[in-house]
Amino acid sequence: MKLSGEEVFPVGEAFLHETKYRRESMQSGFDMSARPAPFKEYSDKPNIQLPEPDAVKPSSLRQAIKNRRSVRKYTAKLVTLGHLSFLLWASCGARGRDAGILRRTVPSAGGLYPIETYVIVNLVEGLEPGVYHYAVRTHSLERLAGGNFGETLMHAALEQNQCREAPVVFVWSAIFARTTWKYGQRGYRYIYLDAGHIAHALAVSASSLGLGSCQMAAFFDDEVNGLIGLDGHSESVIYMTSVGRPG
């Protein structure tokens, strides 16, 4: 890829080069009218209210960090709805309002929160198998599609079998404009950092409940986008994590 001058970079290096901050080209001010909606909700889909996340009792933070590891094999034991509720809250949920702003449990550049959370349910207590979206404001799940999608997700994730075995797989997408309207191309760096914050919070939270998790970035983007119903441009899948009882 040819950029300024005569330099030619591979795509990855071009990304780093083109998203650098430079004093001579720093923008000043932001067009607030260009800011996208901060929440995504499917008002026309069935809604399942989740139990309060404080109903479960996790282990100590020290023990959770010590026990965290990547787990790719799971038992057939289901994940409880209470545990799923806690994991969603701990990794990307709301912790209350402050000055009228809904504060979250994880950091995000500029407090913009471009990451959306979907779950592929294979074996969760009280939930039909299917594809769900997490509605942050109401701490609830919106059912987008019913059915067993573990096999489909496994093939889309380069045959990673944990997608089929895990009781639940978290799929994170990014609505890019939520961050880039303010930070421009630099915003893409922040988006991927945001996803990392969420995935780590989930991994430690799962460990605190005696669950295992495995983070995955290897997948055919368009196939996973198609499974969830995303266009792959304004919103696209960027990260996934499987969760279940270690086998």
Side-chain angles (χ1 to χ4, degrees):
M1 180 178 292
K2 188 172 182 179
L3 301 174
S4 56
E6 298 300 320
E7 294 179 290
V8 178
F9 296 98
V11 172
E13 292 180 26
F15 169 76
L16 292 175
H17 182 82
E18 289 293 276
T19 57
K20 288 180 180 178
Y21 271 153
R22 296 178 174 83
R23 291 186 181 277
E24 65 275 11
S25 59
M26 290 289 290
Q27 71 180 75
S28 59
F30 309 104
D31 180 6
M32 292 299 295
S33 66
R35 182 175 182 176
F39 299 99
K40 182 178 184 180
E41 294 171 348
Y42 293 82
S43 59
D44 60 331
K45 300 297 183 181
N47 186 282
I48 299 94
Q49 187 63 49
L50 292 165
E52 290 298 318
D54 57 5
V56 303
K57 303 300 179 184
S59 68
S60 70
L61 176 60
R62 177 183 176 85
Q63 196 63 40
I65 292 173
K66 182 178 180 181
N67 291 345
R68 191 225 59 83
R69 59 188 176 90
S70 294
V71 175
R72 295 176 174 82
K73 292 186 178 297
Y74 305 98
T75 69
K77 188 174 181 179
L78 55 72
V79 167
T80 70
L81 192 60
H83 283 177
L84 179 58
S85 171
F86 177 77
L87 294 175
L88 285 164
W89 173 79
S91 62
C92 53
R95 55 181 175 83
R97 288 190 176 274
D98 179 19
I101 298 173
L102 193 65
R103 304 296 183 182
R104 310 283 185 96
T105 56
V106 290
S108 175
L112 299 176
Y113 293 98
I115 307 301
E116 290 289 327
T117 300
Y118 301 85
V119 288
I120 311 299
V121 169
N122 296 322
L123 195 62
V124 174
E125 175 191 36
L127 286 182
E128 297 178 14
V131 181
Y132 295 80
H133 171 258
Y134 177 52
V136 176
R137 289 196 290 187
T138 56
H139 189 60
S140 63
L141 289 173
E142 297 154 332
R143 184 159 60 89
L144 307 186
N148 294 291
F149 295 102
E151 190 89 13
T152 301
L153 187 61
M154 180 191 72
H155 292 317
L158 281 65
E159 310 303 322
Q160 296 181 78
N161 195 49
Q162 62 262 33
C163 292
R164 179 176 58 185
E165 285 190 351
V168 61
V169 179
F170 287 68
V171 179
W172 293 296
S173 71
I175 297 180
F176 301 104
R178 279 192 195 156
T179 299
T180 57
W181 77 270
K182 181 175 182 179
Y183 295 114
Q185 293 302 295
R186 179 78 172 193
Y188 284 94
R189 293 196 189 198
Y190 301 155
I191 288 167
Y192 295 116
L193 293 172
D194 278 11
H197 301 325
I198 291 172
H200 183 259
L202 177 66
V204 173
S205 300
S207 176
S208 78
L209 300 177
L211 300 172
S213 68
C214 182
Q215 286 62 55
M216 296 171 281
F219 47 80
F220 295 109
D221 305 61
D222 290 340
E223 292 183 21
V224 183
N225 285 331
L227 175 61
I228 296 175
L230 308 181
D231 63 17
H233 299 285
S234 62
E235 181 181 359
S236 186
V237 171
I238 59 174
Y239 210 7
M240 304 196 308
T241 289
S242 57
V243 175
R245 295 279 178 187

